[in-house]
Amino acid sequence: MLPSPEATDAVTLWIAATHAVPAWAYAPRLVIRAPEKRCGKSRLLDVVEATCRNPLITVNASTAAVYRSIGTDDPPTILLDEADTVFGPKAGEGNEDLRGLLNAGHQRNRYTIRWDHARNRLERIPTFAMAALAGIGAMPDTIEDRAVIVRMRRRAPGENVAPYRQRRDGPALKHLADSLDLWLRANLARLERAEPDMPLEDRAADTWEPLIAVADLAGGEWPDRGRHAAETLTAERDGDSASSDRIQLLTDCRAAFGEHSALPTSALIERLKADPEAPWADYGGTGLTAMRLGTLLREYGITSQNIRFGPPHGQAKGYRRDDFTDAWHRYCPAPAAVVAEHTAPVRHLRTVPGPQLPGLDEMPPPPAENAAGTA
């Protein structure tokens, strides 16, 4: 059982899109993931195999074999089952070439360059192909960022489905695949020219554009259903994805600043480490330090300065709230309710419990020295 109508629509459109690969500039990945075994992910992959165009299903094929299988302008649809054994924590880094192939193959004309010893020349190997991956747990971030993600779950008591039988159900699914192929192949030129209005931006728009183009071609309810599925599944992915350390640090710094316009480095670190749900108390094994904090923030152009605080702190190394504003807007915007209400005080954001910092509320304005002398 698929988890939602939106997931069902997304899988349907993805399968249809495999029959029109020559029309696409991007080849979205389909990630079928589940928290445990017996959630139906492999069964869904069976249905995808039976209905997509030219399926190439594998569990442990070598990267070289997958490269050679693509090799044309009309490549097969790569289906990778038990992908958690390839990319999971126990797999190590032995499959980085396959991950690179799946990442590069999301966009047309991203070739892999190899040296052909037999012919003594460089060889360009195509990577562009639709691909579906099924496994337990999340796939690598770089793959999921290019994917339509379907989160399967185990059937609850009382949720009954008919069993899948290849001998009985295969011919009907094959007929469906042939019908899709006839319809979409006859419309390749139209699909190649399509520029659908997208409800998403950036890479998410690239990933979903082939599916929305198919939905628009189908007409009826499909244009609305396709866009609703795109927005719903993308929101689920973004809400569930783990932030990078740097982005989490930016978010936690906003909470740590509270209403203060500046904080000493030592006080900022104390506040960050006081949050029991944040990783900073044990970051790097010994906890967040001033050097580690500076290294993480430097990527955003945020650096510490010599700042004059009220007593008892006096002049000390610290960070100004204003220096974070641009990074906060770009990488971790405040909740919509806070952004919309421009006059809402910062205290409405999550507050990190931390030591009281006497003197900071009475911090005097910056001294009239030039900025270079205090940086």
Side-chain angles (χ1 to χ4, degrees):
M1 293 185 68
L2 280 104
S4 67
E6 293 82 9
T8 304
D9 288 346
V11 172
T12 302
L13 291 170
W14 189 91
I15 290 170
T18 67
H19 293 272
V21 168
W24 311 135
Y26 294 91
R29 280 68 187 99
L30 175 66
V31 168
I32 305 168
R33 49 183 272 198
E36 298 289 344
K37 298 177 181 178
R38 295 171 39 225
C39 290
K41 59 188 183 306
S42 295
R43 181 62 71 229
L44 177 55
L45 199 64
D46 289 337
V47 175
V48 171
E49 179 191 12
T51 49
C52 71
R53 179 178 172 86
N54 192 14
L56 176 64
I57 191 164
T58 179
V59 174
N60 58 359
S62 69
T63 304
V66 176
Y67 273 118
R68 297 301 178 185
S69 299
I70 294 174
T72 68
D73 290 333
D74 193 8
T77 303
I78 300 170
L79 308 178
L80 182 61
D81 201 3
E82 300 182 16
D84 50 296
T85 64
V86 178
F87 297 117
K90 296 181 180 179
E93 299 182 358
N95 296 298
E96 288 304 304
D97 284 347
L98 182 56
R99 184 193 306 207
L101 164 63
L102 292 170
N103 291 341
H106 176 256
Q107 186 171 351
R108 191 176 289 280
N109 298 325
R110 294 294 185 266
Y111 296 94
T112 288
I113 308 299
R114 293 287 186 270
W115 180 256
D116 187 339
H117 290 280
R119 300 180 181 179
N120 199 35
R121 68 181 187 184
L122 286 175
E123 182 181 15
R124 296 200 314 169
I125 304 174
T127 62
F128 186 74
M130 300 279 279
L133 302 85
I136 295 175
M139 300 298 126
D141 289 343
T142 53
I143 292 176
E144 292 207 342
D145 194 39
R146 296 164 167 82
V148 174
I149 300 175
V150 176
R151 292 176 176 82
M152 301 297 288
R153 57 190 182 187
R154 192 172 291 177
R155 282 188 289 118
E159 290 182 334
N160 299 312
V161 296
Y164 175 79
R165 294 290 180 263
Q166 170 62 35
R167 184 173 298 177
R168 180 195 66 206
D169 302 321
L173 292 175
K174 178 65 166 59
H175 176 72
L176 176 59
D178 291 342
S179 298
L180 283 170
D181 203 67
L182 285 171
W183 169 51
L184 289 158
R185 290 276 150 164
N187 286 281
L188 284 181
R190 179 177 173 183
L191 290 169
E192 189 173 4
R193 295 191 303 268
E195 296 181 5
D197 292 331
M198 297 299 298
L200 307 170
E201 296 180 341
D202 302 325
R203 182 166 285 157
D206 296 338
T207 295
W208 280 87
E209 186 176 71
L211 281 67
I212 300 302
V214 170
D216 287 349
L217 181 66
E221 297 179 351
W222 279 104
D224 289 339
R225 287 170 62 174
R227 287 171 174 80
H228 178 62
E231 291 177 308
T232 301
L233 268 62
T234 300
E236 288 180 3
R237 183 201 68 184
D238 293 345
D240 187 57
S241 62
S243 298
S244 69
D245 286 347
R246 288 190 179 93
I247 291 180
Q248 182 171 355
L249 179 61
L250 285 177
T251 304
D252 291 348
C253 281
R254 178 168 54 198
F257 266 96
E259 298 176 5
H260 298 297
S261 59
L263 285 175
T265 301
S266 58
L268 178 58
I269 291 174
E270 284 186 61
R271 289 188 160 211
L272 291 169
K273 291 166 72 172
D275 185 351
E277 296 183 0
W280 312 120
D282 301 316
Y283 188 77
T286 57
L288 188 66
T289 64
M291 181 176 292
R292 288 174 179 147
L293 176 65
T295 300
L296 290 169
L297 293 177
R298 197 171 298 123
E299 293 293 328
Y300 302 104
I302 301 170
T303 57
S304 62
Q305 306 173 40
N306 291 317
I307 301 174
R308 188 171 299 164
F309 296 95
H313 303 283
Q315 183 160 306
K317 282 282 188 182
Y319 291 88
R320 295 188 184 278
R321 181 188 181 85
D322 288 347
D323 292 336
F324 285 79
T325 304
D326 183 70
W328 285 336
H329 283 314
R330 293 178 186 275
Y331 298 100
C332 52
V338 177
V339 173
E341 188 176 350
H342 294 290
T343 58
V346 179
R347 70 174 66 91
H348 290 313
L349 294 172
R350 178 174 68 92
T351 301
V352 176
Q356 295 299 312
L357 302 172
L360 293 185
D361 290 328
E362 295 80 31
M363 187 182 75
E369 306 171 79
N370 65 53
T374 61

